[in-house]
């Protein structure tokens, strides 16, 4: 690895791919939040005819001409997609697919035409299909560096405007911002980064450099600034890893490995990111489900106590299950959890009862349920037989603050619409008003 | 005779892909065909490695498996991880395609798959690879038989499942309320797309499948408001595209698959500009 890094060509490759990854990650952030993620894919494919035409017209593989050709046809593809989406009933994604396949088909026609007509200097044009990251030169890296600097500059200058464009398009337009010009600027840096990028990773994988780092970054943050920074960082890190793999195993292609690393980063982010990741979401869902199960079992205890004439306070699992229609396995686990929390206790072998703490908690749940029923019935005028289901759901969600407001709004009522008593911790509370 | 077989092959691919593509378009999933056609690559390579040759059945299974895997991954990123749908598609297919290229590079000695071929196939070789029975009877190109079989299967599927497909396409909620499984039809369509892509891919390449899947249905969509007319027009346009593409390619001595994509795009452009009532010319006239 040391010998590898002391080789100037290898340094060029590392620097080039990292610069490219960073600028694509940065640009991709904005195309992603504008919901134009697949645009990069179409633009990349659409550059092939431009490259071939530039070669046909000039007869040489001068990188500047080829780049110009790529830029022009990338731009034309963008205009075509815009035109289709504007002037037909087709959706933008269909417009993208149409432009992509037509332009790419044209590119393939031109490429094969060039190959079959025996142009002397044509070998290597097809490098645009799959890229040639491993053979980047110092000149290429200089170009990548300029492009990256230009893109960073544009993003810094237009950051607020781009954000507005992405999240408040209508407002920006109404406020008199030059939205068409801003879209043009954003499109230009996209075309620019794609045109430089396809030389390294090829047309098919260029889309990944734009989409994947931004998509991965999206999981970690809600702020556009940090998303853009993280996306650029991920892009360049994946670039480094990709080049590293090719250095260790020379048969391995760089571009695809960059994309694989990016995909791994995206997969890890989708799974493990705090709050937005799949694991965090399902943990939250599980916590909420457990809370509902706990509260429903407590409520069943309260209702059993309330209903039996003998003032019993200890009940068997079967009683509880019958009262609350619980699945037996869930009831068993929930009771064990409630016991650990000190809310219920086992009095004899098969009987369970609420502790004082548990009684208070069960009163709270029942109180919220009945308060909400009363609110729906009296304040919103809903029929008494329509309010139970809503209360079943909302009793788990009402905060202490909302409870207090409900109590004030309803003047500490004594009974709910079904004439059941509303339980208070302090029995005197409800005495002052009788509804 | 060669021209006939090539045009017939093109038409067969165009018909199968176009009929499926019409439903993809109406379900606003046009890019999914593109995604699946790329995502099946690792499946094809793995099947090739396991089977050791280009046997069609293992390749079909491998590719169909990865096609469905791609759909599942996209759905998971979209529904479970709440990633916006275009990003979910982009992340999935590029990742799987990159994996495919890496597998090809890693087993370069054992896998006789040409990357260029993956993208735009070699329809010109179709007439060479003929199917000869043990008794020596020449039955014509093998690809025509395979693609014809696929088309028959698809027509059967569309014929039997037309109602289910239509109702889950246009009125998913209503269908769900009636007890029709929306996800069953979704995955059935996706499997059909994967299988079609794979069967067609060896002959015409991933890009032409995408072109046939998206462009003729979109052209037909601009010309009519009726689903049955749209399907019929798609088939007609496919035939015209195959014919025109072959002529263009023969004239330029260029890739036939590429030329067919270009002709499909040209038909689309004509419809976009000149379609009665909805075309651009009409819009200008209205102004």
């Amino acid at each position: 690895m040391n010998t590898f890094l002391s080789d100037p060509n290898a340094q060029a490759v590392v620097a080039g791919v990292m610069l490219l990854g960073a600028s694509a990650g940065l640009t991709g952030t904005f195309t992603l939040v504008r919901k134009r993620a697949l645009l990069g894919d179409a633009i990349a494919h659409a550059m092939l005819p431009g490259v071939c035409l530039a070669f046909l017209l000039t007869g040489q593989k001068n990188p500047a001409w080829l780049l110009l050709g790529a830029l022009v046809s990338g731009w034309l593809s963008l205009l075509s997609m815009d035109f289709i989406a504007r002037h037909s009933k087709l959706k933008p994604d269909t417009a993208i697919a149409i432009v992509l396949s037509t332009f790419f088909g044209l590119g393939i026609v031109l490429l094969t035409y060039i190959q079959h007509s025996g142009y002397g200097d044509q070998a290597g044009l097809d490098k645009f299909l799959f890229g040639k990251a491993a053979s980047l030169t110092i000149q290429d890296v200089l170009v990548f560096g300029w492009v990256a600097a230009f893109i960073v500059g544009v993003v810094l200058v237009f950051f607020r405007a781009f954000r507005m464009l992405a999240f408040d398009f209508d407002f920006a337009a109404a406020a008199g911002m030059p939205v068409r010009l801003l879209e043009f600027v954003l499109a230009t840096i996209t075309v620019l980064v794609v045109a430089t990028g396809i030389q390294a990773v090829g047309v098919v994988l260029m889309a990944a450099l734009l989409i994947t780092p931004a998509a991965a970054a999206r999981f970690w943050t809600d702020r556009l600034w940090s998303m853009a920074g993280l996306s650029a960082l991920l892009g360049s890190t994946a670039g480094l890893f990709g080049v590293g793999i090719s250095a260790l195993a020379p048969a391995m292609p760089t571009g695809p490995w960059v994309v694989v690393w990016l995909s791994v980063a995206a997969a890890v982010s989708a799974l493990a990111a705090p709050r937005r990741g799949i694991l965090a979401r399902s943990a939250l869902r599980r916590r909420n489900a457990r809370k509902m199960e706990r509260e429903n079992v407590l409520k069943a205890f309260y209702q059993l106590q309330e209903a039996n004439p003998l003032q019993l306070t200890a009940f068997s699992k079967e009683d509880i299950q019958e009262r609350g229609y619980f699945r037996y396995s869930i009831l068993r686990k929930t009771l064990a959890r409630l016991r650990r929390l000190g809310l219920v206790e086992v009095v004899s072998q098969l009987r369970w009862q609420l502790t004082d703490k548990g009684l208070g908690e069960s009163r709270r749940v029942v109180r919220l349920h009945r308060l909400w029923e009363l609110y729906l019935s009296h304040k919103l005028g809903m029929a008494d037989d329509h309010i139970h289901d809503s209360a079943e759901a909302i009793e788990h969600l009402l905060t202490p603050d909302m409870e207090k407001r409900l109590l004030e709004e309803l003047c500490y009522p004594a009974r709910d619409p079904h004439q059941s008593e509303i339980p208070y911790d302090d029995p005197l509370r409800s005495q002052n008003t009788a509804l | 005779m060669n021209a006939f077989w090539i045009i017939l092959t093109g038409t067969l691919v165009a018909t199968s892909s176009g009929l499926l593509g019409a439903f993809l378009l109406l379900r606003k999933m046009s890019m999914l065909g593109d995604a699946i056609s790329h995502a099946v690559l690792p499946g094809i390579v793995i099947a090739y490695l396991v089977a050791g040759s280009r046997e069609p059945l293992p390749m079909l299974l491998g590719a169909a498996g990865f096609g469905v895997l791609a759909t599942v991954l996209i759905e998971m990123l979209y529904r479970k991880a709440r990633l916006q749908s275009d990003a979910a598609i982009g992340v999935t297919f590029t990742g799987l395609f990159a994996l495919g290229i890496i597998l090809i590079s890693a087993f370069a000695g054992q896998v006789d798959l040409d990357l260029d071929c993956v993208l735009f196939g070699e329809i010109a070789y179709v007439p060479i690879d003929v199917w000869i029975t043990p008794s020596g009877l020449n039955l014509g190109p093998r690809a025509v038989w395979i693609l014809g079989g696929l088309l028959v299967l698809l027509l059967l599927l569309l014929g039997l499942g037309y109602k289910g497909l239509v109702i889950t396409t246009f009125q998913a909620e209503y269908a769900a309320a009636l007890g029709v499984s929306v996800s069953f039809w979704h995955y059935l369509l996706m499997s059909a797309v994967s299988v079609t892509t794979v069967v067609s891919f060896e002959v015409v390449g991933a890009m032409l499948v995408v072109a046939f899947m998206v462009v003729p249905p979109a052209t037909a969509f601009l010309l009519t408001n009726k689903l049955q007319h749209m399907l019929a027009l798609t088939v007609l346009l496919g035939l015209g595209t195959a014919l025109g593409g072959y002529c263009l390619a023969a004239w330029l001595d260029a890739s036939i698959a590429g030329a067919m994509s270009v002709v499909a795009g040209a038909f689309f452009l004509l419809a976009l500009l000149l379609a009665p009532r909805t075309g651009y010319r009409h819009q200008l006239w209205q102004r």
Side-chain angles (χ1 to χ4, degrees), chain A residues 32 37 87 89 94 104 112 116, chain B residues 84 86 221 225 253 255 283:
Chain A
L32 187 93
H87 293 289
K89 52 183 179 172
T94 314
F104 191 63
T112 44
H116 295 174
Chain B
Q84 62 196 57
D86 55 347
F221 183 66
N225 286 326
D253 182 22
S255 155
Q283 289 174 24

Side-chain angles (χ1 to χ4, degrees), chain A residues 58-376:
Chain A
T58 61
Q60 49 182 325
K61 273 191 317 201
N62 183 338
W65 285 114
L66 298 187
L67 187 65
L68 187 69
L71 286 174
V72 170
S73 68
W75 244 109
L76 273 178
S77 74
L78 208 67
L79 291 180
S80 319
M81 285 182 266
D82 197 47
F83 184 87
I84 294 173
R86 230 177 256 279
H87 293 289
S88 78
K89 52 183 179 172
L90 293 166
K91 297 277 172 292
D93 67 321
T94 314
I96 290 177
I98 291 169
V99 169
L100 186 156
S101 58
T102 307
F103 273 69
F104 191 63
L106 184 64
I108 294 297
V109 167
L110 291 173
L111 185 66
T112 44
Y113 171 72
I114 293 170
Q115 285 167 346
H116 295 174
S117 335
Y119 276 84
D121 192 28
Q122 54 87 16
L125 267 188
D126 54 351
K127 288 282 180 225
F128 277 93
L129 282 177
F130 297 102
K132 45 146 193 161
S135 53
L136 289 177
T137 62
I138 312 273
Q139 279 77 22
D140 292 328
V141 175
L142 277 178
V143 174
F144 287 5
W146 280 113
V147 169
F150 178 74
I151 286 170
V152 170
V154 169
V155 168
L156 285 179
V157 171
F158 289 99
F159 186 83
R160 282 163 163 280
F162 283 169
R163 180 164 57 194
M164 200 94 131
L165 203 62
F167 298 113
D168 287 308
F169 186 87
D170 295 329
F171 175 73
M177 281 175 70
V179 283
R180 297 284 290 169
L181 179 75
L182 288 170
E183 283 192 308
F184 174 85
V185 174
L186 187 55
T188 307
I189 60 169
T190 314
V191 172
L192 193 64
V193 81
V194 172
T196 48
I198 54 173
Q199 302 174 50
V201 298
V203 297
V204 183
L205 294 180
M206 187 55 222
L209 258 54
L210 282 169
I211 302 170
T212 311
R218 182 69 190 89
F219 286 106
W220 298 91
T221 172
D222 287 330
R223 300 178 57 84
L224 194 58
W225 266 119
S226 27
M227 184 181 158
L230 189 58
S231 173
L233 186 72
L234 274 174
S236 57
T237 317
L240 182 66
F241 282 5
V243 177
I245 293 269
S246 298
L248 294 174
M252 284 292 159
T254 308
W257 270 107
V258 176
V259 176
V260 164
W261 285 120
L262 284 175
S263 306
V264 170
V268 170
S269 309
L271 265 183
R275 290 203 308 113
R276 297 182 63 97
I278 292 176
L279 293 179
R281 275 185 212 275
S282 70
L284 179 69
R285 240 197 328 273
R286 210 166 40 241
R287 266 203 308 283
N288 284 339
R290 293 242 173 100
K291 178 166 178 278
M292 283 175 65
E293 285 159 14
R294 279 201 312 270
E295 292 180 347
N296 284 338
V297 171
L298 288 174
K299 193 170 66 178
F301 267 106
Y302 186 90
Q303 288 165 336
L304 283 169
Q305 273 185 14
E306 192 178 45
N308 81 71
L310 301 172
Q311 307 283 312
L312 289 178
T313 55
F315 306 98
S316 69
K317 274 182 192 167
E318 287 70 28
D319 294 337
I320 303 166
Q321 188 178 11
E322 203 175 311
R323 176 71 238 180
Y325 307 107
F326 301 107
R327 267 228 308 275
Y328 187 75
S329 57
I330 290 179
L331 177 64
R332 200 166 40 97
K333 283 181 199 152
T334 310
L335 279 174
R337 282 189 201 111
L338 286 169
R339 192 177 175 189
R340 272 202 299 279
L341 291 168
L343 295 172
V344 299
E345 59 197 354
V346 184
V347 279
S348 68
Q349 261 185 344
L350 293 166
R351 307 245 148 200
W352 298 68
Q353 81 174 14
L354 293 170
T355 61
D356 286 347
K357 197 172 146 200
L359 185 63
E361 195 49 28
S362 71
R363 269 202 212 105
R364 187 184 65 83
V365 179
V366 173
R367 184 163 67 237
L368 289 177
H369 181 100
R370 293 179 180 172
L371 276 175
W372 187 253
E373 287 193 335
L374 195 62
Y375 181 76
L376 288 181

Side-chain angles (χ1 to χ4, degrees), chain B residues 113-203:
Chain B
L113 284 174
D114 189 357
L115 268 182
D116 296 357
C117 245
V118 170
L119 279 185
F120 42 94
E122 210 26 285
I123 198 173
Y125 294 156
V126 163
I128 301 170
D129 183 16
V130 289
W131 188 18
I132 298 173
T133 55
S135 56
L137 185 66
N138 186 342
L139 291 174
R142 217 163 37 170
V144 170
W145 284 98
I146 296 174
L147 289 168
L150 173 77
L151 181 59
V152 170
L153 282 180
L154 274 181
L155 287 176
L156 225 74
L157 175 77
L158 287 182
L160 294 177
Y162 189 75
K163 266 193 173 161
L165 266 177
V166 170
I167 196 169
T168 50
T169 300
F170 291 107
Q171 290 168 308
E173 280 94 9
Y174 179 57
L178 285 182
V180 180
S181 168
V182 177
S183 58
F184 167 76
W185 290 102
H186 175 80
Y187 282 107
L188 189 68
L189 187 63
M190 290 305 114
S191 316
V193 169
S194 317
V195 171
T196 307
T197 309
V198 181
V199 174
S200 322
F201 130 100
E202 208 191 347
V203 189

